[in-house]
Amino acid sequence: MDLSLRPLLVAALLGATGFLAGCATPTPEQKASREIFDPYESTNRSIHGFNVGLDKVLLRPAAKGYVAIVPPPMVDSFNYFAENLSMPGQMVDSLLQGKPKQAGIALARFVINSTVGFAGLSDPASNFEIPKVDTDFGETLHSWGLGEGAYIELPLYGPSTSRDAIGLLVDFVLNPLDYAKNQPVDNLGLYAQAVKRLGDRGRYSDAVDAILYESADSYAQARTIYMQNRRFKLEGDTPDLYITPDEISTEGF
Amino acid sequence: MSFTFSRRHLIATAGAVLASVTLPKSALALSETKAKSMVDQLVGQINRVIDSGKSESAMYRDFEGIFRSYADTSYIAAYALGVDGRRATSSQKRAFTEAFTGYIARKYGKRFREFIGGRLEVEDVRQIKNFLEVRTTAYLRGESPFEVAFHVSDRTGKELFFNIYIEGVNMLLTERTEIGSLLDKRKGNIDQLISDLKTIG
């Protein structure tokens, strides 16, 4: 029986994004204020609780074990491997964003690291000073003018927005590698990403713990940090929106 | 779960807060070369503190002293408390700034170890509205370089930093969220918040 993870995950993601797409959208005033639009907060919080619980009992201990047992260079290798597998998809995204140069870089990385880099297990492209590429279909949608929509926390995945969740789904379904003939393993990219996440969770353990277990409200902290970082990644510097040193009275402080 | 963005933010903030201590008194007339050598000097200082083998509490004390001298603690504290500051009495405000400063020092001081082997390089200084932005690049072990910006004003008559942006994530907004959550958990009780802040972080 051909039991693939793909339809299951697509269904799950569709379920998650389906109820969001076309639902609440921020008003122009809300957009201008740059406040985070979170109309699904109670649902999001439930999912956050699930994610944190899963992290506590499974991901965190597994990640700690993984980085304790597997030597750091090998963890790096698996990360390079996962990154390399995402390059063809990122090439397509770059093209769709009208960035042919970045698409070329993604392709060059994929070709070099897949060959000289032992099937992507090392990163000689970086040694040749080929810049990193890090994009996704959420960014493509942004470049087409689609707003971020509502904040959502996805099961297993974590913080996202309705736009970025759709992007995630598209990247997943449209990964060109999955349409290549002679694939050694189904969903290889997906497993590689899962291993990469495990490695990242282990390597950055203290910092993730600080957010998830030491902050007063880990949901609110994860939400603000994700949104600030995501907006910066997509929009770059926005000096007009910087906080100035006269926005609040310091009298008495 | 994709929580890795946060780690970068935290370690970078730790490094950044520390780095800022060497911003010279005349930051507004800051030359890049001068600022760069200051930051280099600072990274050496941080590493010395880490290598000193001091206890964690001694390290936090060092850091707190640094933070008090070079950060606009009144503004950072006032911003973090936000609208709740309007109903605070003068003595509550003073006590809050005091407790909050220690909390920040401990919270970011905790991340010292992850900064071992890292360095910050000053890139440029530019005027934005009524303050200066000093942009630096952080190079941490095993990480792609990323941007850390210090926002400096002379609001108090002295050049002090009042905010730090690390890849778009800024300290003022992040701490306002956290202080808001802490206050909510205490049903808005500012005195309780002040007393708890002395040990949190």
Side-chain angles (χ1 to χ4, degrees), chain B residues 40-88:
Chain B
D40 288 342
Q41 200 182 323
L42 163 78
V43 172
Q45 279 179 12
I46 299 168
N47 287 336
R48 267 201 299 283
V49 173
I50 296 163
D51 296 340
S52 69
K54 280 188 185 177
S55 68
E56 286 200 357
S57 56
M59 275 170 37
Y60 300 159
R61 268 197 303 280
D62 288 355
F63 179 55
E64 190 170 334
I66 288 164
F67 190 69
R68 279 181 197 283
S69 315
Y70 293 92
D72 185 350
T73 51
S74 305
Y75 188 74
I76 298 170
Y79 194 92
L81 194 53
V83 288
D84 288 298
R86 285 185 207 152
R87 60 184 174 86

Short mmCIF file of all heavy atoms in Angstrom, two decimals, chain B residues 40-88:
data_model
loop_
_atom_site.label_atom_id
_atom_site.label_comp_id
_atom_site.label_asym_id
_atom_site.label_seq_id
_atom_site.Cartn_x
_atom_site.Cartn_y
_atom_site.Cartn_z
N ASP B 40 35.45 46.69 19.19
CA ASP B 40 36.47 45.64 19.27
C ASP B 40 36.98 45.50 20.70
O ASP B 40 37.13 44.40 21.22
CB ASP B 40 37.66 45.98 18.34
CG ASP B 40 37.28 45.82 16.88
OD1 ASP B 40 36.28 45.13 16.61
OD2 ASP B 40 37.99 46.36 16.02
N GLN B 41 37.21 46.65 21.30
CA GLN B 41 37.70 46.69 22.68
C GLN B 41 36.69 46.00 23.60
O GLN B 41 37.05 45.23 24.47
CB GLN B 41 37.84 48.15 23.07
CG GLN B 41 38.74 48.43 24.23
CD GLN B 41 38.72 49.93 24.53
OE1 GLN B 41 38.66 50.76 23.61
NE2 GLN B 41 38.71 50.27 25.79
N LEU B 42 35.43 46.30 23.35
CA LEU B 42 34.37 45.73 24.17
C LEU B 42 34.32 44.22 24.06
O LEU B 42 34.22 43.53 25.09
CB LEU B 42 33.02 46.28 23.72
CG LEU B 42 31.90 45.41 24.26
CD1 LEU B 42 31.64 45.72 25.70
CD2 LEU B 42 30.67 45.55 23.44
N VAL B 43 34.40 43.71 22.83
CA VAL B 43 34.33 42.26 22.64
C VAL B 43 35.46 41.62 23.44
O VAL B 43 35.27 40.59 24.10
CB VAL B 43 34.41 41.89 21.14
CG1 VAL B 43 34.54 40.39 20.96
CG2 VAL B 43 33.18 42.40 20.41
N GLY B 44 36.62 42.27 23.44
CA GLY B 44 37.72 41.78 24.27
C GLY B 44 37.33 41.77 25.74
O GLY B 44 37.60 40.82 26.46
N GLN B 45 36.63 42.82 26.15
CA GLN B 45 36.19 42.91 27.56
C GLN B 45 35.22 41.79 27.91
O GLN B 45 35.34 41.16 28.96
CB GLN B 45 35.50 44.25 27.80
CG GLN B 45 36.46 45.40 28.03
CD GLN B 45 35.71 46.71 28.24
OE1 GLN B 45 34.49 46.73 28.43
NE2 GLN B 45 36.45 47.81 28.21
N ILE B 46 34.26 41.56 27.00
CA ILE B 46 33.28 40.51 27.26
C ILE B 46 34.00 39.18 27.42
O ILE B 46 33.77 38.44 28.37
CB ILE B 46 32.27 40.36 26.10
CG1 ILE B 46 31.48 41.64 25.90
CG2 ILE B 46 31.33 39.19 26.34
CD1 ILE B 46 30.70 41.65 24.60
N ASN B 47 34.89 38.91 26.47
CA ASN B 47 35.61 37.64 26.53
C ASN B 47 36.42 37.52 27.81
O ASN B 47 36.52 36.45 28.38
CB ASN B 47 36.50 37.49 25.30
CG ASN B 47 35.68 37.19 24.06
OD1 ASN B 47 34.55 36.68 24.15
ND2 ASN B 47 36.21 37.52 22.90
N ARG B 48 36.98 38.65 28.26
CA ARG B 48 37.73 38.60 29.51
C ARG B 48 36.81 38.24 30.67
O ARG B 48 37.18 37.46 31.55
CB ARG B 48 38.43 39.95 29.77
CG ARG B 48 39.86 39.97 29.25
CD ARG B 48 40.70 41.05 29.92
NE ARG B 48 40.17 42.39 29.69
CZ ARG B 48 40.31 43.08 28.55
NH1 ARG B 48 40.94 42.51 27.53
NH2 ARG B 48 39.81 44.28 28.43
N VAL B 49 35.61 38.83 30.66
CA VAL B 49 34.66 38.52 31.74
C VAL B 49 34.31 37.03 31.71
O VAL B 49 34.32 36.36 32.74
CB VAL B 49 33.38 39.38 31.62
CG1 VAL B 49 32.34 38.94 32.63
CG2 VAL B 49 33.70 40.85 31.80
N ILE B 50 34.05 36.53 30.48
CA ILE B 50 33.69 35.12 30.37
C ILE B 50 34.85 34.23 30.80
O ILE B 50 34.68 33.28 31.56
CB ILE B 50 33.29 34.78 28.91
CG1 ILE B 50 32.04 35.56 28.52
CG2 ILE B 50 33.03 33.28 28.77
CD1 ILE B 50 31.82 35.62 27.02
N ASP B 51 36.05 34.59 30.31
CA ASP B 51 37.22 33.77 30.63
C ASP B 51 37.68 33.92 32.07
O ASP B 51 38.49 33.13 32.55
CB ASP B 51 38.38 34.13 29.68
CG ASP B 51 38.03 33.80 28.23
OD1 ASP B 51 37.12 32.98 28.03
OD2 ASP B 51 38.67 34.36 27.32
N SER B 52 37.18 34.99 32.73
CA SER B 52 37.64 35.23 34.09
C SER B 52 37.24 34.11 35.02
O SER B 52 37.79 33.95 36.11
CB SER B 52 37.06 36.55 34.61
OG SER B 52 35.66 36.40 34.79
N GLY B 53 36.24 33.32 34.61
CA GLY B 53 35.77 32.23 35.46
C GLY B 53 35.00 32.74 36.66
O GLY B 53 34.79 32.03 37.63
N LYS B 54 34.55 34.00 36.57
CA LYS B 54 33.74 34.55 37.66
C LYS B 54 32.43 33.77 37.76
O LYS B 54 31.98 33.14 36.80
CB LYS B 54 33.40 36.02 37.36
CG LYS B 54 34.51 37.00 37.67
CD LYS B 54 33.97 38.42 37.50
CE LYS B 54 35.07 39.45 37.69
NZ LYS B 54 34.57 40.81 37.47
N SER B 55 31.80 33.88 38.92
CA SER B 55 30.50 33.24 39.09
C SER B 55 29.48 33.99 38.23
O SER B 55 29.69 35.14 37.86
CB SER B 55 30.06 33.29 40.55
OG SER B 55 29.80 34.63 40.90
N GLU B 56 28.36 33.32 37.94
CA GLU B 56 27.34 33.95 37.11
C GLU B 56 26.85 35.25 37.74
O GLU B 56 26.68 36.26 37.07
CB GLU B 56 26.16 33.00 36.88
CG GLU B 56 26.49 31.90 35.90
CD GLU B 56 25.26 31.26 35.28
OE1 GLU B 56 24.13 31.63 35.66
OE2 GLU B 56 25.44 30.39 34.41
N SER B 57 26.65 35.23 39.05
CA SER B 57 26.11 36.43 39.69
C SER B 57 27.11 37.59 39.60
O SER B 57 26.72 38.74 39.45
CB SER B 57 25.73 36.15 41.15
OG SER B 57 26.83 35.64 41.85
N ALA B 58 28.41 37.28 39.64
CA ALA B 58 29.42 38.33 39.50
C ALA B 58 29.38 38.89 38.08
O ALA B 58 29.53 40.10 37.87
CB ALA B 58 30.80 37.78 39.82
N MET B 59 29.17 37.98 37.11
CA MET B 59 29.08 38.43 35.72
C MET B 59 27.87 39.33 35.51
O MET B 59 27.97 40.34 34.83
CB MET B 59 28.98 37.22 34.78
CG MET B 59 30.34 36.65 34.42
SD MET B 59 30.31 35.05 33.55
CE MET B 59 28.94 35.14 32.48
N TYR B 60 26.74 38.99 36.12
CA TYR B 60 25.55 39.83 35.98
C TYR B 60 25.79 41.22 36.58
O TYR B 60 25.33 42.22 36.06
CB TYR B 60 24.33 39.20 36.68
CG TYR B 60 23.94 37.85 36.13
CD1 TYR B 60 23.18 36.97 36.88
CD2 TYR B 60 24.33 37.46 34.86
CE1 TYR B 60 22.82 35.73 36.39
CE2 TYR B 60 23.98 36.21 34.36
CZ TYR B 60 23.23 35.35 35.13
OH TYR B 60 22.88 34.13 34.64
N ARG B 61 26.53 41.24 37.71
CA ARG B 61 26.82 42.53 38.34
C ARG B 61 27.65 43.41 37.41
O ARG B 61 27.38 44.58 37.26
CB ARG B 61 27.56 42.33 39.68
CG ARG B 61 26.63 42.25 40.88
CD ARG B 61 27.38 42.48 42.17
NE ARG B 61 28.49 41.54 42.38
CZ ARG B 61 28.33 40.29 42.83
NH1 ARG B 61 27.13 39.84 43.12
NH2 ARG B 61 29.38 39.51 43.00
N ASP B 62 28.67 42.80 36.78
CA ASP B 62 29.48 43.55 35.81
C ASP B 62 28.61 44.11 34.70
O ASP B 62 28.70 45.27 34.33
CB ASP B 62 30.54 42.63 35.15
CG ASP B 62 31.65 42.27 36.13
OD1 ASP B 62 31.64 42.81 37.26
OD2 ASP B 62 32.50 41.45 35.77
N PHE B 63 27.75 43.24 34.21
CA PHE B 63 26.90 43.63 33.09
C PHE B 63 25.93 44.73 33.50
O PHE B 63 25.69 45.68 32.75
CB PHE B 63 26.14 42.40 32.58
CG PHE B 63 25.22 42.72 31.44
CD1 PHE B 63 25.70 43.35 30.31
CD2 PHE B 63 23.88 42.41 31.52
CE1 PHE B 63 24.86 43.67 29.26
CE2 PHE B 63 23.03 42.72 30.48
CZ PHE B 63 23.51 43.35 29.35
N GLU B 64 25.38 44.60 34.68
CA GLU B 64 24.42 45.60 35.16
C GLU B 64 25.07 46.97 35.24
O GLU B 64 24.48 47.98 34.86
CB GLU B 64 23.85 45.17 36.52
CG GLU B 64 22.69 46.03 36.95
CD GLU B 64 21.96 45.49 38.17
OE1 GLU B 64 21.99 44.26 38.39
OE2 GLU B 64 21.35 46.30 38.88
N GLY B 65 26.33 47.00 35.71
CA GLY B 65 27.05 48.27 35.79
C GLY B 65 27.21 48.90 34.43
O GLY B 65 26.99 50.10 34.24
N ILE B 66 27.56 48.06 33.47
CA ILE B 66 27.73 48.49 32.08
C ILE B 66 26.43 49.06 31.53
O ILE B 66 26.39 50.14 30.93
CB ILE B 66 28.20 47.28 31.23
CG1 ILE B 66 29.65 46.94 31.57
CG2 ILE B 66 28.03 47.53 29.75
CD1 ILE B 66 30.08 45.56 31.08
N PHE B 67 25.35 48.32 31.77
CA PHE B 67 24.03 48.72 31.26
C PHE B 67 23.61 50.06 31.88
O PHE B 67 23.10 50.95 31.19
CB PHE B 67 23.02 47.62 31.59
CG PHE B 67 21.69 47.77 30.94
CD1 PHE B 67 21.55 47.61 29.58
CD2 PHE B 67 20.56 48.06 31.69
CE1 PHE B 67 20.31 47.76 28.96
CE2 PHE B 67 19.32 48.20 31.09
CZ PHE B 67 19.20 48.04 29.73
N ARG B 68 23.84 50.22 33.18
CA ARG B 68 23.46 51.45 33.85
C ARG B 68 24.20 52.67 33.30
O ARG B 68 23.66 53.76 33.26
CB ARG B 68 23.75 51.35 35.35
CG ARG B 68 22.69 50.62 36.11
CD ARG B 68 23.01 50.56 37.59
NE ARG B 68 22.22 49.52 38.24
CZ ARG B 68 20.94 49.65 38.55
NH1 ARG B 68 20.31 50.78 38.30
NH2 ARG B 68 20.28 48.66 39.11
N SER B 69 25.46 52.47 32.90
CA SER B 69 26.24 53.61 32.44
C SER B 69 25.90 54.03 31.02
O SER B 69 26.02 55.19 30.67
CB SER B 69 27.74 53.28 32.47
OG SER B 69 28.08 52.66 33.67
N TYR B 70 25.52 53.08 30.19
CA TYR B 70 25.42 53.40 28.75
C TYR B 70 24.03 53.29 28.16
O TYR B 70 23.83 53.64 27.00
CB TYR B 70 26.40 52.54 27.96
CG TYR B 70 27.82 52.91 28.28
CD1 TYR B 70 28.53 52.27 29.29
CD2 TYR B 70 28.44 53.95 27.60
CE1 TYR B 70 29.82 52.64 29.61
CE2 TYR B 70 29.73 54.33 27.90
CZ TYR B 70 30.42 53.68 28.91
OH TYR B 70 31.69 54.06 29.22
N ALA B 71 23.07 52.79 28.92
CA ALA B 71 21.70 52.70 28.38
C ALA B 71 20.84 53.78 29.01
O ALA B 71 21.05 54.18 30.15
CB ALA B 71 21.11 51.33 28.69
N ASP B 72 19.87 54.25 28.24
CA ASP B 72 18.89 55.21 28.74
C ASP B 72 17.84 54.41 29.50
O ASP B 72 16.75 54.15 29.01
CB ASP B 72 18.29 55.95 27.53
CG ASP B 72 17.35 57.07 27.94
OD1 ASP B 72 17.02 57.16 29.14
OD2 ASP B 72 16.95 57.83 27.05
N THR B 73 18.20 54.00 30.71
CA THR B 73 17.35 53.06 31.46
C THR B 73 15.96 53.65 31.77
O THR B 73 14.98 52.91 31.79
CB THR B 73 18.01 52.63 32.78
OG1 THR B 73 18.43 53.79 33.49
CG2 THR B 73 19.23 51.74 32.52
N SER B 74 15.90 54.97 31.99
CA SER B 74 14.58 55.57 32.28
C SER B 74 13.65 55.39 31.10
O SER B 74 12.48 55.01 31.27
CB SER B 74 14.72 57.08 32.54
OG SER B 74 15.64 57.31 33.54
N TYR B 75 14.17 55.65 29.90
CA TYR B 75 13.31 55.56 28.73
C TYR B 75 12.92 54.10 28.46
O TYR B 75 11.76 53.80 28.16
CB TYR B 75 13.99 56.16 27.49
CG TYR B 75 13.04 56.23 26.32
CD1 TYR B 75 12.03 57.19 26.30
CD2 TYR B 75 13.10 55.32 25.27
CE1 TYR B 75 11.13 57.26 25.25
CE2 TYR B 75 12.19 55.37 24.22
CZ TYR B 75 11.20 56.35 24.22
OH TYR B 75 10.30 56.40 23.20
N ILE B 76 13.88 53.22 28.56
CA ILE B 76 13.60 51.80 28.29
C ILE B 76 12.56 51.27 29.28
O ILE B 76 11.62 50.58 28.90
CB ILE B 76 14.91 50.96 28.33
CG1 ILE B 76 15.89 51.46 27.24
CG2 ILE B 76 14.62 49.47 28.12
CD1 ILE B 76 17.29 50.89 27.34
N ALA B 77 12.73 51.64 30.54
CA ALA B 77 11.78 51.18 31.56
C ALA B 77 10.40 51.78 31.31
O ALA B 77 9.39 51.07 31.35
CB ALA B 77 12.28 51.56 32.96
N ALA B 78 10.35 53.08 31.03
CA ALA B 78 9.06 53.74 30.79
C ALA B 78 8.35 53.13 29.59
O ALA B 78 7.14 52.88 29.63
CB ALA B 78 9.26 55.24 30.56
N TYR B 79 9.12 52.85 28.52
CA TYR B 79 8.51 52.27 27.32
C TYR B 79 8.00 50.86 27.59
O TYR B 79 6.92 50.49 27.14
CB TYR B 79 9.51 52.26 26.16
CG TYR B 79 8.83 52.00 24.84
CD1 TYR B 79 8.38 53.05 24.04
CD2 TYR B 79 8.58 50.69 24.41
CE1 TYR B 79 7.71 52.81 22.85
CE2 TYR B 79 7.91 50.44 23.22
CZ TYR B 79 7.48 51.51 22.44
OH TYR B 79 6.81 51.26 21.27
N ALA B 80 8.79 50.09 28.34
CA ALA B 80 8.40 48.71 28.63
C ALA B 80 7.11 48.67 29.46
O ALA B 80 6.26 47.81 29.25
CB ALA B 80 9.53 47.97 29.36
N LEU B 81 6.97 49.60 30.39
CA LEU B 81 5.76 49.62 31.23
C LEU B 81 4.56 50.14 30.42
O LEU B 81 3.42 49.75 30.69
CB LEU B 81 6.01 50.46 32.48
CG LEU B 81 5.00 50.34 33.62
CD1 LEU B 81 4.77 48.89 34.03
CD2 LEU B 81 5.45 51.16 34.83
N GLY B 82 4.84 51.00 29.44
CA GLY B 82 3.78 51.45 28.53
C GLY B 82 2.68 52.23 29.22
O GLY B 82 2.95 52.96 30.18
N VAL B 83 1.44 52.04 28.78
CA VAL B 83 0.33 52.84 29.32
C VAL B 83 0.10 52.57 30.81
O VAL B 83 -0.43 53.43 31.51
CB VAL B 83 -1.00 52.60 28.56
CG1 VAL B 83 -0.94 53.23 27.18
CG2 VAL B 83 -1.33 51.13 28.47
N ASP B 84 0.51 51.42 31.28
CA ASP B 84 0.34 51.13 32.71
C ASP B 84 1.14 52.11 33.56
O ASP B 84 0.84 52.29 34.75
CB ASP B 84 0.76 49.69 33.02
CG ASP B 84 -0.27 48.69 32.48
OD1 ASP B 84 -1.42 48.76 32.94
OD2 ASP B 84 0.10 47.89 31.61
N GLY B 85 2.17 52.71 32.95
CA GLY B 85 2.98 53.70 33.67
C GLY B 85 2.17 54.91 34.09
O GLY B 85 2.50 55.58 35.08
N ARG B 86 1.07 55.19 33.37
CA ARG B 86 0.27 56.39 33.67
C ARG B 86 -0.36 56.32 35.05
O ARG B 86 -0.58 57.34 35.69
CB ARG B 86 -0.84 56.55 32.63
CG ARG B 86 -0.31 57.06 31.30
CD ARG B 86 -1.47 57.32 30.35
NE ARG B 86 -1.05 57.19 28.96
CZ ARG B 86 -1.85 56.83 27.97
NH1 ARG B 86 -3.11 56.55 28.21
NH2 ARG B 86 -1.40 56.74 26.74
N ARG B 87 -0.68 55.11 35.51
CA ARG B 87 -1.33 54.99 36.82
C ARG B 87 -0.33 54.69 37.93
O ARG B 87 -0.72 54.43 39.07
CB ARG B 87 -2.45 53.95 36.78
CG ARG B 87 -1.98 52.56 36.40
CD ARG B 87 -3.14 51.57 36.26
NE ARG B 87 -2.67 50.29 35.77
CZ ARG B 87 -2.18 49.33 36.55
NH1 ARG B 87 -2.10 49.50 37.85
NH2 ARG B 87 -1.77 48.20 36.02
N ALA B 88 0.98 54.69 37.57
CA ALA B 88 1.99 54.41 38.60
C ALA B 88 2.34 55.69 39.36
O ALA B 88 2.35 56.77 38.79
CB ALA B 88 3.23 53.83 37.95
#
